[in-house]
Amino acid sequence: MIQLENLTTESRNNASAHIDRTTTFELVHLMNEEDKKVPQAIESILPQIAASIDLISNRLQKGGRLFYIGAGTSGRLGILDASECPPTYGIEPELIQGIIAGGPAAVFKSQEGAEDSPELAAHDLKEKKLQSLDTVVGLAASGRTPYVLGGLNFAKSIGAATIAITCNQNSPIAEIADIALTAVVGPELITGSTRMKAGTAQKLILNMLSTGCMIRLGKVYGNLMVDVKSSNLKLEERARHIVMEATGVTRQESIACLAQTNGQAKLAIFMILSSLDLDTATKILDEHQGFIHKALQSLQ
């Protein structure tokens, strides 16, 4: 077993040794200086992050799913990332899912004992009917959480792809995973408070993984989220704006075309740019797996 004193994330930070006696401005300045180290740590593992995106997206294209699994802050970050993908990119909620030790109740109230059970993670993944085409991303700042270790071991046992996100070198979850994303951000401002720099690092990496995969799946045209779901007033307005930005049409023309496509911005954009009718545009876009630029190229 790894002792806490040997973990970078549990080490004392000399820069903040007297933070309880600083002014409030000095406190936030120290925090800001420490936070600047996070993107630098991530920069060093960009090749591994890119490889992870390719691994996940290839499996998603073949019918696989993506699961984030973690405990405490790490688990909550996974659930946050997964829950934001359906409205933003129009995917089914089952495609990307977050699993937290202790179940849904742990999102709002800590269920600390749950993270000590590797068997619980295997049980949770079995309930999701984990398959070999799926990918499991284990999140643990320490890299040693038993729940995450159990989840990754179970995933490997059935042939699923595995990725580890951690903030300590040579961690047990990194040794298990097919790809290890180890962002060493250094000791926390408050010793062991890994919801800070380590949590920020995990959030940034998750942003890259999910956004990168959605781009690889054709959910983005240029830099526009063309598969946005018009599920509330804000998103309806966003869809109108996206169609206007992508095509140069007026607001009224955007509204009219979105009415024809039942709010589907991607289809509306392709109809306008291709000058095709609804049925033909739908057929050609489907033939090119939803990639607008590929569909347009096929018409040239």
Side-chain angles (χ1 to χ4, degrees):
M1 178 181 290
I2 297 176
Q3 300 300 312
L4 289 182
E5 58 265 25
N6 296 326
L7 299 176
T8 301
T9 51
E10 298 291 335
S11 302
R12 293 193 68 182
N13 191 327
N14 291 331
S16 60
H18 305 292
I19 199 168
D20 59 331
R21 282 160 275 175
T22 63
T23 65
T24 305
F25 175 77
E26 289 170 338
L27 184 161
V28 295
H29 177 72
L30 270 174
M31 189 176 295
N32 184 240
E33 288 300 306
E34 288 298 311
D35 285 344
K36 290 176 184 177
K37 299 175 182 178
V38 177
Q40 294 172 353
I42 292 174
E43 185 177 9
S44 68
I45 60 169
L46 289 179
Q48 291 92 330
I49 295 174
S52 298
I53 292 170
D54 288 339
L55 175 69
I56 298 167
S57 59
N58 287 338
R59 286 170 167 259
L60 291 176
Q61 287 172 335
K62 296 174 182 176
R65 298 167 296 168
L66 170 60
F67 291 95
Y68 299 132
I69 188 165
T73 297
S74 298
R76 295 182 190 102
L77 288 170
I79 288 172
L80 173 65
D81 193 80
S83 65
E84 290 178 343
C85 288
T88 305
Y89 296 110
I91 63 170
E92 294 301 319
E94 292 76 23
L95 191 67
I96 302 178
Q97 301 181 50
I99 302 173
I100 187 170
V107 174
F108 303 100
K109 185 176 180 181
S110 295
Q111 311 284 324
E112 299 299 343
E115 74 174 58
D116 296 329
S117 172
E119 295 79 17
L120 180 59
H123 171 270
D124 290 345
L125 288 170
K126 287 176 183 176
E127 283 207 326
K128 298 291 185 180
K129 295 181 171 56
L130 190 73
Q131 301 173 6
S132 59
L133 264 181
D134 297 332
T135 304
V136 175
V137 176
L139 297 110
S142 68
R144 62 190 285 274
T145 306
Y147 180 83
V148 178
L149 283 164
L152 292 175
N153 274 319
F154 174 73
K156 287 190 76 71
S157 74
I158 66 163
T162 53
I163 296 169
I165 300 178
T166 180
C167 295
N168 283 293
Q169 291 282 14
N170 305 315
S171 69
I173 68 168
E175 291 178 9
I176 292 172
D178 299 321
I179 301 177
L181 305 179
T182 305
V184 183
V185 296
E188 296 287 0
L189 193 81
I190 306 301
T191 306
S193 183
T194 52
R195 71 183 184 87
M196 300 180 75
K197 286 191 298 183
T200 301
Q202 290 177 88
K203 179 67 170 72
L204 292 179
I205 292 170
L206 290 172
N207 285 348
M208 290 181 174
L209 293 183
S210 57
T211 304
C213 286
M214 294 301 100
I215 293 170
R216 289 288 164 261
L217 292 177
K219 303 291 183 180
V220 174
Y221 177 60
N223 61 356
L224 300 172
M225 55 172 78
V226 292
D227 269 326
V228 62
K229 278 190 174 179
S230 303
S231 53
N232 61 30
L233 293 176
K234 181 190 77 173
L235 295 179
E236 285 178 6
E237 183 59 27
R238 180 174 290 165
R240 294 176 193 132
H241 182 70
I242 287 170
V243 173
M244 292 164 63
E245 284 287 324
T247 65
V249 299
T250 66
R251 176 180 172 82
Q252 289 306 314
E253 288 170 326
S254 172
I255 292 172
C257 195
L258 283 166
Q260 292 184 60
T261 65
N262 195 29
Q264 297 178 67
K266 176 189 282 183
L267 182 54
I269 290 167
F270 184 58
M271 282 180 64
I272 294 168
L273 294 179
S274 66
S275 300
L276 295 172
D277 62 78
L278 178 63
D279 290 341
T280 306
T282 301
K283 179 177 180 294
I284 293 175
L285 198 54
D286 287 345
E287 287 173 353
H288 292 86
Q289 294 77 48
F291 285 86
I292 293 177
H293 70 277
K294 291 181 179 178
L296 289 171
Q297 285 175 350
S298 73
L299 300 175
Q300 295 176 358

